[in-house]
Amino acid sequence: MTAMRLEQAQALLGFVRGAGQEHILRYWEKLPENSRQQLLHQIAAVDFALLARLHHDYILRKNLPALTSLEPAEMITLAQQQAHPEEVRSMKARGEQELRAGKVAALLVAGGQATRLGFEKPKGAYPIGPVSQKTLFQLHAEKLRALARRYQTRIPWYIMTSDTNAGETRDFFEKNNLFGYSSQDLCFFEQEMIPALDENGKLILDAPDHIFTNPNGHGGTLTALEKSGALADMRRRGIEEIFYFQVDNVLLNMCDPLFLGYHVAAQAEMSAKVCAKRDPYEKVGVIGKVFDARTGKAGRLQVIEYSDMSAADKEARLPDGTLKYNAGSIAIHLFKVSFIEREVAGGTKLPWHVAHKQIPYLDANGQLVQPDKPNGYKFETFVFDALSDAERVVLLEVDRRFDFSPIKNAAGEDSPETALRDLNEFYARWLEQAGITIPRDAAGKVKVRCEISPLFALDAEELAPKVTPALRVQNDFYLEP
Ligand code: UTP
């Protein structure tokens, strides 16, 4: 942190007062110089005009986009894929071509705070290998290394962190020898933080020299890619497509060539994988076509959050009995580099989302208070909102058993317990496809823990010739090179 010059510091303090936020200088006189500098640097990063607009639009006027009309989105369904195996083969080959040509980068967003899981380290450090106990970061790294080996290419890996976990994440990678990834192909970058506001639109101090801020949402990825130079780095390397994924999906089909193939063949600017909802009330956003209040254009794609959908829409069914709005958004995307360049030109175009939350604050006595009910507003942008700005979009339906099982909660659905169950079942099925008997109980549940390192086999086809059906699986079972 470089010390700020006196005139610059005074100008900033004047700005704070002008913005009606002088309460954040409450402890100024008592602060030692290094704390003053810390606060000044934080203040310098605050976009006061943006916060004033957010307060006005989202808190006072509750300016939420109105869904005037909703229609199901067109997607490449699983049934269509099953009916056209030739097309599927050629799309996969098309995607493989992109990988082989070195045009694909992987982008992991890991700047979130994992509040629901309640894990004290970065979420990627969560141990999840059914037998190996390998972490999420290692699992992703091994998939990427195996893919690069298979297609004889390099897959640069960009990892977004935030101020809440950047240092810890880098340290974790360093301690683990970058999980075997080449340092030349690994690039960490940070998203921005944004201050929260209290009920009156005021900044919140959570220490005498610190304003409470939160990561600006996974939508912050797009501007952070640009500001950090990562986007320019991709250009230099000849990257054209970016495979976007979240840290907590244990079944992630990394850089899925089939998805890539459909995306590239359609010249899509942004694409999304979707999967059928478990039931009408599964708390997942759904991709649909809506009247876009921002652009005034009808028929743009958008993720409709679970809480914004009426019960009637949630329950609506097609004549064949499937849910009418069934394109569950699972946060796996492809972006063209050129699309992101356009999307971030002149600042983010993404709309803000506001959440009423419990935010720690200093009380009148300077004591830190953890409130037991919401006392302020956090702001975030969401990456899927870029769908409505893309000219061409592919929505590819996938079977969640092979693509999606996230760790969100400490217990219940989408927790470590369900992720382990799904991962175990996923590997057991590969072994069974190779003719190996896996012990199951009367309910069909796999009785042992099994795991296959991505570096041993990336899929069932690669596994089959490497094992013999005579293999006996009776105890915990781990295949690694
Ligand atoms: P979630 O919305 O599930 O958030 O993020 P989370 O941080 O993992 O968990 P909660 O909501 O605090 O319990 C989905 C993905 O987006 C990333 C997360 O790291 C995760 O990979 N993310 C989220 C960011 O990178 N930045 C953000 O500001 C928010």
Side-chain angles (χ1 to χ4, degrees), residues 70-72 277 279-281 286 309-327:
L70 180 60
E71 291 165 42
K277 286 176 71 169
D279 59 75
Y281 291 96
V286 163
M309 212 164 164
S310 68
D313 280 342
K314 280 177 189 146
E315 286 172 6
R317 292 195 184 262
L318 296 173
D320 68 2
T322 55
L323 290 175
K324 183 171 177 193
Y325 300 107
N326 208 16

Side-chain angles (χ1 to χ4, degrees), residues 157-161 166 169-170 173 178 186-190:
W157 187 12
Y158 298 84
I159 300 179
M160 186 173 80
T161 59
T169 305
R170 278 172 193 255
F173 269 75
L178 310 183
L186 197 58
C187 167
F188 291 92
F189 66 104
E190 264 184 62

Side-chain angles (χ1 to χ4, degrees), residues 108-118 123 160-162 165 191-192 214-221 244-248 331 380-382 407-409:
L108 164 63
V109 292
Q113 293 174 286
T115 29
R116 283 169 289 171
L117 179 63
K123 209 192 235 185
M160 186 173 80
T161 59
S162 68
N165 60 17
Q191 68 182 115
E192 287 175 272
N214 57 270
N216 63 351
H218 43 59
T221 313
Y244 167 104
F245 66 103
Q246 302 193 328
V247 72
D248 49 21
E380 286 187 319
T381 59
F382 296 153
I407 300 176
K408 298 288 183 197
N409 309 308

Side-chain angles (χ1 to χ4, degrees), residues 10 83 100 206 254 297 301 325 338 353 375 384 404 427 474:
Q10 276 168 349
R100 241 180 241 114
D206 58 1
M254 184 70 79
K297 290 184 196 163
L301 290 173
Y325 300 107
S338 55
H353 296 257
N375 60 328
F384 50 68
F404 186 57
Y427 292 129
Q474 280 165 325

Side-chain angles (χ1 to χ4, degrees), residues 203-321:
L203 294 167
I204 300 167
L205 280 184
D206 58 1
D209 59 357
H210 193 263
I211 303 165
F212 177 91
T213 56
N214 57 270
N216 63 351
H218 43 59
T221 313
L222 305 186
T223 41
L225 274 174
E226 202 240 352
K227 287 190 182 166
S228 66
L231 208 55
D233 185 58
M234 290 180 186
R235 270 282 179 227
R236 265 195 304 278
R237 288 168 173 263
I239 298 297
E240 291 178 12
E241 311 295 342
I242 304 172
F243 180 82
Y244 167 104
F245 66 103
Q246 302 193 328
V247 72
D248 49 21
N249 179 9
V250 299
L251 291 186
L252 182 82
N253 184 348
M254 184 70 79
C255 300
D256 180 2
L258 180 66
F259 185 36
L260 257 170
Y262 274 114
H263 165 83
V264 172
Q267 296 186 319
E269 291 193 311
M270 176 174 174
S271 293
K273 282 193 173 185
V274 294
C275 70
K277 286 176 71 169
R278 274 194 286 251
D279 59 75
Y281 291 96
E282 184 187 3
K283 287 190 176 146
V284 66
V286 163
I287 302 184
K289 267 194 199 168
V290 295
F291 172 82
D292 187 328
R294 280 188 300 144
T295 60
K297 290 184 196 163
R300 287 277 164 152
L301 290 173
Q302 202 172 301
V303 173
I304 299 101
E305 287 186 77
Y306 173 83
S307 48
D308 290 343
M309 212 164 164
S310 68
D313 280 342
K314 280 177 189 146
E315 286 172 6
R317 292 195 184 262
L318 296 173
D320 68 2

